[in-house]
């Protein structure tokens, strides 16, 4: 497991696009779904590098109520997440309501386990929902669209061009000339900055050299 990668990912904010809302006791709560938490654990830690252990599953309610004879069943559960020797615990609650007693038990147990797992994973960082415990949710952000990323990069490169003594009109002409050669300006600069490890000034120098060929 690449620990540097793991730390970088755990320090990132939570994507607002994966946050769901539910109503409970007249209040709205934010949460992430269990499948997403598992998917993120696989992506960040690696499919073979983390383990979930559920224990302490206890029934705290089992009663039949109402004219329809519905069963109300509740469980608590504790879950430990182990990532290469690092253990994090979480306790969860689940409730099942059904005419079929067995289905009510099944639903309650599954929900308690999922809730406990998410609470344990949450302690690792924002991508697992830690950011939701901040009332202001300062680390819950909307992911930029590909177009947003393209526009920002080209603005940064245009700024670097001006720092080198160029003008806004000159930059547009430079970009248009490159694209006439069949070279996408964004892809060219993106490659120079990321693949070759160049900053925006060096990238724009390469950008201009390519046009001059």
């Amino acid at each position: 497991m690449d620990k540097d990668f793991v730390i970088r990912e755990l320090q990132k904010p939570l994507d607002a696009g994966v946050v769901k809302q539910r109503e409970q006791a007249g209040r709205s709560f934010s949460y992430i779904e269990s499948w997403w938490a598992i998917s993120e654990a696989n992506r960040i830690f690696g499919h073979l590098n983390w383990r979930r252990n559920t224990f302490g599953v206890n029934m705290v309610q089992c009663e039949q109520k109402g004219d329809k004879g519905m069963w109300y069943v509740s469980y608590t559960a504790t879950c430990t997440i182990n990532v290469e020797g690092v253990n994090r615990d979480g306790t969860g609650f689940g409730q099942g309501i059904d005419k079929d007693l067995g289905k009510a038990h099944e639903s309650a147990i599954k929900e308690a386990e999922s809730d406990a797992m998410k609470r344990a994973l949450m302690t690792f960082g924002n991508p697992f929902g830690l950011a939701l415990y901040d009332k202001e949710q300062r680390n819950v952000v909307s992911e930029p669209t590909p177009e947003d990323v393209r526009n920002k990069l080209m603005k940064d490169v245009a700024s670097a061009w001006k720092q080198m003594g160029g003008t806004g009109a000159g930059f547009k002409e430079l970009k248009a000339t490159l694209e006439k050669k069949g070279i996408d300006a964004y892809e060219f600069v993106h490659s120079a900055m990321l693949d070759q490890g160049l900053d925006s000034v060096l990238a724009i120098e390469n950008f201009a050299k390519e046009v001059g060929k």
Side-chain angles (χ1 to χ4, degrees):
M1 183 170 66
D2 184 341
K3 292 185 178 180
D4 290 336
F5 167 79
V6 170
I7 292 173
R8 285 197 305 272
E9 291 301 308
L10 293 179
Q11 291 175 337
K12 288 182 178 180
L14 176 64
D15 178 7
V18 304
V19 178
K20 306 298 181 181
Q21 302 291 327
R22 72 170 184 270
E23 296 294 326
Q24 183 176 326
R27 297 175 59 192
S28 179
F29 291 88
S30 301
Y31 69 99
I32 61 171
E33 295 179 293
S34 298
W35 72 267
W36 176 259
I38 294 172
S39 177
E40 282 291 88
N42 287 334
R43 181 183 69 84
I44 295 173
F45 301 134
H47 289 76
L48 305 180
N49 297 326
W50 71 285
R51 183 172 66 254
R52 179 179 77 180
N53 179 34
T54 303
F55 57 97
V57 180
N58 297 307
M59 184 178 67
V60 295
Q61 177 192 26
C62 181
E63 58 181 319
Q64 196 172 28
K65 299 190 296 185
D67 298 335
K68 296 182 179 179
M70 301 291 285
W71 284 98
Y72 289 73
V73 178
S74 299
Y75 277 83
T76 59
T78 299
C79 178
T80 294
I81 300 296
N82 177 280
V83 181
E84 293 199 338
V86 177
N87 292 319
R88 300 292 176 85
D89 297 331
T91 300
F93 173 83
Q95 184 177 61
I97 303 173
D98 203 291
K99 285 186 177 180
D100 185 300
L101 179 58
K103 290 181 179 179
H105 277 280
E106 178 187 27
S107 178
I109 292 172
K110 287 181 177 179
E111 185 177 313
E113 180 180 40
S114 294
D115 191 40
M117 176 195 69
K118 289 193 295 181
R119 289 180 180 274
L121 282 170
M122 171 270 296
T123 64
F124 282 101
N126 293 324
F128 295 111
L130 178 61
L132 299 177
Y133 286 79
D134 173 9
K135 291 182 179 180
E136 297 181 13
Q137 296 192 1
R138 286 164 292 191
N139 282 303
V140 180
V141 300
S142 296
E143 288 293 318
T145 66
E147 190 61 26
D148 291 336
V149 174
R150 291 176 69 93
N151 290 339
K152 183 180 184 305
L153 178 56
M154 295 315 296
K155 284 181 180 179
D156 289 344
V157 174
S159 176
W161 170 252
K162 289 180 181 179
Q163 290 177 24
M164 295 169 62
T167 65
F171 174 75
K172 290 180 181 179
E173 183 179 351
L174 192 67
K175 181 172 177 289
T177 302
L178 191 62
E179 291 175 348
K180 282 180 182 178
K181 295 187 174 187
I183 301 174
D184 182 276
Y186 168 80
E187 294 297 338
F188 181 86
V189 176
H190 183 265
S191 176
M193 294 181 71
L194 296 185
D195 298 344
Q196 299 178 38
L198 303 181
D199 63 20
S200 56
V201 173
L202 290 175
I204 196 64
E205 288 179 350
N206 280 11
F207 188 71
K209 288 177 182 177
E210 185 65 29
V211 173
K213 289 181 180 180

